Amino acid sequence: MTVQHGDLRLERHGNVAEIIWAAPKLNLFTPHVAAAFEAILGRLPSDIRALLLRAEGKVFCAGVRVQEFTVMDGRAGTDFSRRLLTLIRRIEQLPIPTVAVVHALNLTIGLELALACDFIWSAENVSMGLVEATVGITPAAGGTQRLVARAGVARATEMVYTGRTYDSSRLLEWGVVDKVLPSDQLLTQARAFADELAAGPTVATAIAKQIIAVARDRGVAAADDITPDLAGPVLISEDAAIGLETMLSQGPGAKPAFVGR
């Protein structure tokens, strides 16, 4: 299955969907790209069990096209930020594991899109950054706060205030990136990881994802409050029945054939 919307296309490989951003030259972000993301997300098959977000070309993303800002007043800027945050949250709240695969330079909104994913995998020698400060503006799609969540206040403050780019090895050290691989291995290994996630108990994973988000945003006590009502019903899922039966009949080392229900 392949679906094209503007500079984005949606492909399906088994139980994994891939969103591929392939605009000419620099994968610059524009309102048309935002619309394409919105449309593609609306076309995700209901039965997929993991998602890869990746790009093609010389860069993953060179940022928002600067000309977009020259025609915005404060109200338009506010509306644009709200639209971007809605897109980011839509990716973040998908009830499936998500992996951003960053093969090359990734700036501003491109990094913010990656930060919306559960995992960020990067090629070696890739630079990333929220560089808005270099042109006198502020990250508007939630990258600042998501860097705080991943890397802590001090490192997020440095990255946002200075507008510098950082290589993937430093970002791995800081916890922004989850894995760094040679460029010729990145996509193959990321796809294998996505397949592994998709083969897991994705009903349970979706619940865990909600609990993790609440713990991140509101703290451990808030996550404790919601855990019984979310985790308890997982016991009657089809995957739980499969997992328990497999362990009882084949032993704890056996691999259950989960179905995602």
Side-chain angles (χ1 to χ4, degrees):
M1 181 199 81
T2 300
V3 175
Q4 187 82 35
H5 277 282
D7 294 327
L8 274 68
R9 72 180 186 273
L10 173 66
E11 297 180 356
R12 178 168 186 161
H13 302 274
N15 288 320
V16 179
E18 292 188 15
I19 296 176
I20 302 107
W21 187 2
K25 294 184 180 179
L26 297 175
N27 282 342
L28 291 172
F29 194 89
T30 67
H32 293 295
V33 174
F37 267 106
E38 291 159 356
I40 285 283
L41 289 170
R43 296 290 300 274
L44 289 178
S46 60
D47 61 340
I48 62 162
R49 295 171 64 188
L51 173 72
L52 282 184
L53 173 62
R54 64 183 184 89
E56 295 175 346
K58 293 174 59 177
V59 303
F60 185 95
C61 175
V64 176
R65 190 176 67 176
V66 174
Q67 289 84 351
E68 301 300 328
F69 298 121
T70 65
V71 296
M72 289 185 189
D73 58 15
R75 176 63 180 274
T78 297
D79 291 343
F80 190 56
S81 176
R82 287 201 175 105
R83 183 180 189 182
L84 296 182
L85 274 168
T86 298
L87 172 60
I88 293 298
R89 288 173 177 161
R90 194 170 171 187
I91 295 170
E92 197 169 49
Q93 293 169 5
L94 288 171
I96 53 175
T98 54
V99 185
V101 184
V102 182
H103 72 291
L105 179 71
N106 191 19
L107 304 177
T108 68
I109 182 62
L111 177 52
E112 290 173 306
L113 286 164
L115 288 165
C117 295
D118 298 319
F119 302 93
I120 303 175
W121 283 31
S122 173
E124 293 174 336
N125 302 316
V126 163
S127 293
M128 303 188 215
L130 298 179
V131 300
E132 286 87 345
T134 63
V135 293
I137 61 175
T138 302
T144 300
Q145 48 270 42
R146 284 163 181 78
L147 279 179
V148 170
R150 276 186 170 256
V153 171
R155 286 165 178 161
T157 301
E158 178 186 324
M159 290 182 70
V160 174
Y161 283 17
T162 65
R164 295 173 185 159
T165 61
Y166 298 79
D167 65 32
S168 53
S169 61
R170 175 62 58 87
L171 295 175
L172 178 66
E173 177 187 334
W174 285 2
V176 177
V177 166
D178 298 288
K179 197 172 189 68
V180 175
L181 291 165
S183 59
D184 61 349
Q185 299 177 25
L186 177 65
L187 183 55
T188 299
Q189 292 204 31
R191 281 175 167 164
F193 182 56
D195 285 339
E196 177 186 347
L197 294 171
T202 44
V203 172
T205 301
I207 297 302
K209 185 169 182 173
Q210 292 182 59
I211 295 170
I212 289 166
V214 170
R216 179 197 66 191
D217 297 339
R218 294 163 46 200
V220 171
D224 285 347
D225 288 342
I226 67 167
T227 293
D229 289 337
L230 290 178
V234 176
L235 291 171
I236 62 171
S237 69
E238 190 172 343
D239 277 348
I242 291 169
L244 293 170
E245 192 280 330
T246 301
M247 184 180 70
L248 290 171
S249 63
Q250 301 179 39
K255 188 172 182 179
F258 293 119
V259 294
R261 296 188 295 273

